[in-house]
Each structure stands twice: as C-alpha cells, then as structure tokens.
Amino acid sequence: MMTLNERFKALEAENAPGQESRQDVNDLDSIVCGEKIEGVPVDFSHGDIDAFPPTPGSVEAWNKGYEMGGEQAYTQYRGSAKILKGVAERISAFTGSPVLADKELIITPGTQGALFLALGSTIESGEKVAVVEPDYFANRKLVKYFNGIIAPIPLNYQGDSSQNGPDLDCLEKTFKEGTKVFVFSTPNNPTGVVYSKDAINKIANLASFYNVTLIVDQLYSRLLYKGETYTHLCACNVLLENIITIMGPSKTESLSGFRLGVAFGTSRLIERMERLQAIVSLRAAGYNQAVLDGWLMEPEEWMKKRVSEHEAIRNDLLKVFRSAGLSVATPQAGSYLFPKLPSLKINTKLFVQLLRYQAGVIVTPGSEFGPTTRDSIRLNFSQDHQRAVAAAKRIVEMINRYQK
Amino acid sequence: MMTLNERFKALEAENAPGQESRQDVNDLDSIVCGEKIEGVPVDFSHGDIDAFPPTPGSVEAWNKGYEMGGEQAYTQYRGSAKILKGVAERISAFTGSPVLADKELIITPGTQGALFLALGSTIESGEKVAVVEPDYFANRKLVKYFNGIIAPIPLNYQGDSSQNGPDLDCLEKTFKEGTKVFVFSTPNNPTGVVYSKDAINKIANLASFYNVTLIVDQLYSRLLYKGETYTHLCACNVLLENIITIMGPSKTESLSGFRLGVAFGTSRLIERMERLQAIVSLRAAGYNQAVLDGWLMEPEEWMKKRVSEHEAIRNDLLKVFRSAGLSVATPQAGSYLFPKLPSLKINTKLFVQLLRYQAGVIVTPGSEFGPTTRDSIRLNFSQDHQRAVAAAKRIVEMINRYQK
C-alpha cells in the first residue's frame, strides 16, 4: 500500500495535455538552437473547438435545460431519467446492443469521470490490471491511484497495419496469471489504431473464460475514416458478465466544455459507479446533461463533413511527417497522430518544451502514454487545417535542428 | 484495508438526498395509518431553486463563457486563471484572509468535488479522521472510502444555545491520540449551528499544536441570520500549516445546477487536489466556470432579501414544530432544520418513506448524518414559503398518527 505522498507522486500532471502553461520555461534560452520559428501558434494537446465548433443546437439544448429549473439542476446522481432514456435508445442503435436506461447507464462528468468511476468500482487494492502500452495517459495513473498493479500489454502499431492491435498472447498470459481487470481504448489514444473484429472477439472470449472485467473506452468510435470498420465489444456474441463501455460527446462533437460522458454495461457496476459519483461530485452538471438530448442524432451531413475534414487533415500531416522520414502509423479513427522522433541531441520532454517556446507548437510527450514510447509525440489534429500543416512543418524543422 | 465490496457497502446512497425516486415503495400500503394527506408536494431534501432562482445574470455569464470558445472549454485543471484571479480577490475580501490566485485556489465540480479532493489529498490509509456528529452525510462516507477511521466528535446543539458547538475536550483528546485530519462544516449541516469565535480559535490552536490538517466546509456562511456573527477559521491569528476552506455558489445563490465549488488554502494541498482532479474529471465544466465571474459580487439588496426571506421561513417552521412539542435547534445560518422526532411506532427510515408516500413530503433521515441522530429528520427549508409551512404541518400530522 502506497503512502499518500507516493500516490500523488504517481499523479504528476505537469506534462499532461492542457497543463503546459504551468511549466517553468526560464532556462530554455541557454539551450535554444537557432532563432524562433514564426507561425500561428497551434495547441495540439487537445482539439481546437474554435476550428471545429460544437454540434449545432447545443447552446439551445443547454438553455432549455436551464429553463427547466430545479428538475434539471437536481437529477438523480446517475443523471436525468428522461435524458437517460433517450441516450439509452440511441446507444443501443449505435452499438447494436440493448442498454436498459434505468439500470445499465450513467451520465458522468466527462469520459474522464466515467473512467475514474469505472476503474474505482472494479480495481481491488493490490490486484493486477492489464493496461495497453501506449494508451490514454490517465489509465496508468488511475490504476496506480487505486492501488492496482499495471500488467503491461504491448500494442502493435508501427509495422504492417494488418498486425495492428494488442499483443493477445501477452493478454492471455496476463489473464491466466490472475489479472482481473482490462482497460483499453479503441480507437486507441494516442495511435488511432482500431481493434479488429478478430481482436475484439478474442478479447471477449478470453475475458469470459478468465472472468475478467472489461473497461472499454470508445470515445473516438464515431470519427471513423473511409474504409475502416468498427467492432463494438459490447455487441459481440459472447456472454460478458462484467463490462463497462465508455463514450461521450467531447471529441467528434466538440462538446468538451460541457464535461459530459456516459458509461453503460453491467448494472451491478453502474450501481457502484453511481455510489462513487455521489461522493465524488454528486452528478454531471444538471443543465449540461440536457445537451445530451441532441447527442447521437446530429444531422447526417454534418457528421459526414466533420469526419471527412479530419481525414483531409490527417492525410496532409501524414505526408509532412513521412516526407521528413518520420515513422508514424495511419490513424484509422479519431484525431490523434503519434509520430516517432529520430534520435535527438536533447530528450523528448525538453524538445517538447522547446517546440512550444521556439516554434509555437504544443504537443504531448509520448512518455505520458507509457514507458515504451518516450521518443514519440502526440498531436490532436482536430485543428484549423492550414495552421496544423504549417505547425507540422515547424515540428519537422525543429527535428532537423535538434537531430543527432 | 477493506475490500471493494466493503467499501461500496459503506457508500450506500439509497437514502441520500435526491435519490428517493429510486426507492421501492410497493409494500407501504400494508402499513399505512390513515388516508393520504393532501397538499402540494414539497421536496425538503434540497433547496427549491424555482422558489429561490439563481443569481441574476448567471445565464448571461454562462453564455459569455460559451462564446469564448476553446479558451473557456479547456482551462487548466484548477480552473481558468482569469476567473481564479477575480474569485481570489473576492474571497480574500469576504474572509479577511489573503488568497493567492495561482497557488492557493482551485475551482471544483461543486463543493462535493472540493470535499472529495480535499479528503482524498489528506487522509492516509488507516489513519484517524475527526468527524463531527451530526455533520454533512458525505463526510463519513468519504473518510471510509479513503480508508480512514472515523474519530467521532459530538456536536452540542440541542440544549442552551450558548453551549452550541463541537465537544472541544473530545477534539483535543482525539488530536492527542494521533488524529491528523479534522473535517467539519460551519454553519453545521444539518443543524444550522455556527461555530463561535471561541470554538474556532480553540480549534486553530489545537490544530497548530498537534499538527492537524483542517478541512472547513463553509458552504452556508453567506446565509447568516440577524444577530449572528461568523468567524472564518482561515482568518484567525494562528499559523496553520495545513488548512483547506471550501465554499461555493450552490446554496444561497441557487447555482447548484452548474456544479461549481472552490477550495482555498495551503498551496501544497491545492496542488495535490489539482492532480487528483486531473484523473477524476479533469476540471469543472469550462463554460460553467464563467458563472463564478458574478459570484461574491451580487447586488447587496438581492442578497439581503434572500437572507431575510429564508429567515422568515425558518421562523415559521420553528413555530410549527415547537408548537407540536418537537425539539429543534434554531439555525443560526443556512437553510437546514433538524427536528428530533418523538418515539414512533415505526423506525425513522420507514417514517420518512411514509412521509413521501402518504403526505407528499420528502425529508432526509437523520441516520445519514451520523449514528447518534437516527431519530431526527433534516429539512432544507429553501422552499416556497407557504408550501413549506403547509408541508411542515403535514409532518406534524404524520407524527401524531405514528406516535407511540
């Protein structure tokens, strides 16, 4: 059992996306190589919702919620029964798997909230939790915070794309050795890899056989590129006794400012998550919940356009990085790119600080996503198209300056 | 160390305020005594923000935040630097104690969020935490959740009002025996007792001497009734190395639907709270934070009116209950009343269910606030005045029916 000091050491957030403004950059002048590189600053640490604004009608939905007054301000902890009903129907249709509105669904403060509640409701102190490397940076922190022990599962993403996905042999070995929880994102954050149908079925079968709880983060499953297919684990033909799926409107739909997420699955776990929510923050902000009334029912053309615009940015950034000789997987979904840097004269964290200081570009160091990707950087390319391309070129220029 | 099952058992929320609609009431018909009592239903489990609407200008502030776009959607985890600056200035003025905007203040998802983060940042597993009985129901649950051990401190509130307050001898004994954290609310929830200047100074001196961390919940400190004075612990003349004060606009200002709270104090603890917030829910919803721009600067007349209207309801409810012979302390601040029931033929939880079923009145059973107050009920009297009085009379009628 860790002391509080140790636990909070594990929660260091200085390099987390969005926290860059709290870093101390006084000493960079002495090591800067060359002049500043001009250009409109781009913050790749998260999506730019000014470039891709929230779903049309969101503000109207919010104001409608506000007008409802007390009923909407004080919902059940798991969220407004009326809103849950609509969301359950649309999630059932989206995933192809029925969700009971009053038993199997909870509205949370963002998908971060859903992850916290899901892992807090399933990790026993001292038990092993399978975590993919690389994967969403908070997964590792959450496991440590809940006194779990990380059992690392390597993700293949840099070679032949038909081999992309988690190392399933390693996963089975880990399950066999007693791991009781497996948390992962598909589409994977930070690489954009979508788990194949075969991989999903294998995971389901292994989890069923070894009685493992699955926490599946599908935050980016709606931003799926041409020719790709998405397999919902919750809809597979295997009886899974303990599964929580997490989604939310913060990314594709640019509704992050509302802090909304949903989790659905095993009712016993949803019940636990609600109990935990009651002491964590009571509920997702009441009026904000009303914005979910428009979720998963956006105009089809609007969604299509949003996906194709992201695909165009993805393609251009891949060109910029690949022309410069960088190794980078093609994201099948989502808006993350995870290029690997060549050998530099400085470490990646310092390079990332210099990128911000010297080139006006904010990215997230690969070390946030696991110990095996310290030489990569993550970009959220949900940005203004031209500015993103220009900023990617500045990254390449910076790599040239600091390359060994 | 508790297992997960044990920890979640301790988090039962079925009787928590606002969760009543999830209770099963099928079996009440067989034990009902007499007919239903007609009247407009009143939910005393929380304030009625339709009777006392949000601060004027809140929606406009929210919309302004929304219009700011990405900058407001993605703030630092501890909240927008600009908003923190204004809030820090106004809190400093309100409490009479300086608060550094960038080091000593965090915006949280409600005061519940602040409590969770504060206790999560200070309770070492297996250590004793002093908790007042009765006090806000989540305090007990939080201590158990964080594997702390509750060291109970009795609150005097039923006798001579000059004796009101925590049992300070018991507190010192507990500190002497190694308790390292003390959490309490003043004004006290559920009784409305305000800790006296002497009590606050004694607590400060004891905490300083025994090196105890203080978590002070001042949620209701602005709703202070005629003739009462409020003492801010954070402003006392004792050097306190570890203190977090919690406030928020959810009550007096009726802004609960925005889920906003603030915590201020020791920078090392605020830093920990931000790290924890990063994995719990990232930040208080971005657009909602903008509503704090109007907080602690409401029109003076509006605040005066709000306080006096609550005082009038308090006085009338006290009359109704005291005329019926019930023992109930006079709340010095806040909007909670905590009458003690006489001996009934049924237990308090069942009586509370029958109140809802038969008389259209929702209250919270005293057992939520500690083990010593099972025979009390809590009312949040921030309600429509006439309906509240009528509902209080129905409570008295129900007591008469079920009295031994």
Side-chain angles (χ1 to χ4, degrees), chain A residues 13 15-20 45-46 137 364 368-369 378, chain B residues 77 283:
Chain A
N15 296 299
Q19 292 300 91
E20 295 79 8
S45 75
H46 57 72
F137 64 93
T364 306
E368 289 286 300
F369 307 94
R378 189 194 73 173
Chain B
Y77 299 143
R283 60 180 74 78

Side-chain angles (χ1 to χ4, degrees), chain A residues 4-5 8 17 19 22 50 59 66 70 76-78 102 112-113 124 259 272 274-275 279-281, chain B residues 4-5 8 17 19 22 50 59 66 70 76-78 102 112-113 124 257 259 272 274-275 279-281:
Chain A
L4 263 190
N5 253 335
F8 279 89
Q19 292 300 91
R22 298 193 71 82
D50 301 325
V59 178
Y66 179 83
Q76 308 171 90
Y77 298 144
R78 63 175 67 192
D102 62 337
Q112 182 69 49
E124 287 276 6
R259 297 276 79 217
R272 273 194 181 176
E274 183 180 40
R275 285 188 189 189
I279 60 161
V280 167
S281 63
Chain B
L4 263 191
N5 254 335
F8 279 89
Q19 290 301 89
R22 297 194 70 81
D50 303 324
V59 178
Y66 180 83
Q76 309 173 89
Y77 299 143
R78 63 175 67 194
D102 62 336
Q112 181 69 50
E124 287 276 5
R259 296 275 79 218
R272 274 195 178 176
E274 182 179 42
R275 286 189 187 190
I279 61 162
V280 167
S281 62

Side-chain angles (χ1 to χ4, degrees), chain B residues 44-77:
Chain B
F44 285 115
S45 75
H46 56 73
D48 179 356
I49 65 164
D50 303 324
F52 288 102
T55 320
S58 311
V59 178
E60 291 74 11
W62 186 90
N63 278 287
K64 214 170 133 190
Y66 180 83
E67 291 303 325
M68 285 182 68
E71 184 188 343
Q72 191 61 47
Y74 290 93
T75 69
Q76 309 173 89
Y77 299 143

Side-chain angles (χ1 to χ4, degrees), chain B residues 97-116:
Chain B
S97 168
V99 175
L100 296 177
D102 62 336
K103 297 274 184 202
E104 299 176 337
L105 179 61
I106 183 171
I107 299 171
T108 58
T111 45
Q112 181 69 50
L115 264 176
F116 181 84

Side-chain angles (χ1 to χ4, degrees), chain A residues 1-5 7-14 16-19 21-22 46-50 54-55 58-59 62-63 66 68-78 102-103 109 112-114 116 119-125 136-138 141-142 145-147 250-251 254-259 268 271-288, chain B residues 1-5 7-14 16-19 21-22 46-50 54-55 58-59 62-63 66 68-78 102-103 109 112-114 116 119-125 136-138 141-142 145-147 250-251 254-259 268 271-288:
Chain A
M1 184 84 187
M2 286 187 290
T3 65
L4 263 190
N5 253 335
R7 289 174 87 184
F8 279 89
K9 180 78 185 151
L11 294 187
E12 272 187 3
E14 285 69 19
Q19 292 300 91
S21 64
R22 298 193 71 82
H46 57 72
D48 178 356
I49 65 165
D50 301 325
T55 321
S58 312
V59 178
W62 186 90
N63 278 288
Y66 179 83
M68 285 182 68
E71 184 188 343
Q72 191 62 47
Y74 289 93
T75 69
Q76 308 171 90
Y77 298 144
R78 63 175 67 192
D102 62 337
K103 297 274 184 201
Q112 182 69 49
F116 181 84
L119 291 173
S121 297
T122 52
I123 299 179
E124 287 276 6
S125 183
Y136 177 52
F137 64 93
K141 292 181 180 177
L142 284 163
Y145 179 74
F146 289 120
N147 285 306
S250 74
K251 301 297 182 183
S254 297
L255 297 174
S256 183
F258 292 94
R259 297 276 79 217
R268 187 183 59 86
E271 169 71 29
R272 273 194 181 176
M273 289 170 70
E274 183 180 40
R275 285 188 189 189
L276 187 47
Q277 178 136 302
I279 60 161
V280 167
S281 63
L282 295 183
R283 62 180 72 81
Y287 309 136
N288 297 13
Chain B
M1 184 83 186
M2 287 188 288
T3 64
L4 263 191
N5 254 335
R7 288 174 87 184
F8 279 89
K9 181 77 187 151
L11 294 187
E12 271 187 4
E14 285 70 20
Q19 290 301 89
S21 64
R22 297 194 70 81
H46 56 73
D48 179 356
I49 65 164
D50 303 324
T55 320
S58 311
V59 178
W62 186 90
N63 278 287
Y66 180 83
M68 285 182 68
E71 184 188 343
Q72 191 61 47
Y74 290 93
T75 69
Q76 309 173 89
Y77 299 143
R78 63 175 67 194
D102 62 336
K103 297 274 184 202
Q112 181 69 50
F116 181 84
L119 291 172
S121 298
T122 51
I123 299 179
E124 287 276 5
S125 184
Y136 177 51
F137 64 95
K141 293 182 180 177
L142 284 163
Y145 179 74
F146 290 119
N147 285 306
S250 75
K251 301 297 183 185
S254 297
L255 297 174
S256 183
F258 293 93
R259 296 275 79 218
R268 187 183 59 86
E271 169 71 30
R272 274 195 178 176
M273 289 171 70
E274 182 179 42
R275 286 189 187 190
L276 186 48
Q277 176 135 302
I279 61 162
V280 167
S281 62
L282 295 184
R283 60 180 74 78
Y287 308 136
N288 297 12

Side-chain angles (χ1 to χ4, degrees), chain A residues 98-154:
Chain A
V99 174
L100 296 177
D102 62 337
K103 297 274 184 201
E104 299 176 337
L105 179 62
I106 183 171
I107 299 171
T108 59
T111 45
Q112 182 69 49
L115 263 176
F116 181 84
L117 300 177
L119 291 173
S121 297
T122 52
I123 299 179
E124 287 276 6
S125 183
E127 278 198 354
K128 281 202 282 188
V129 178
V131 176
V132 173
E133 293 182 346
D135 208 330
Y136 177 52
F137 64 93
N139 292 1
R140 309 178 62 76
K141 292 181 180 177
L142 284 163
V143 172
K144 287 180 191 166
Y145 179 74
F146 289 120
N147 285 306
I149 294 159
I150 292 173
I153 310 297

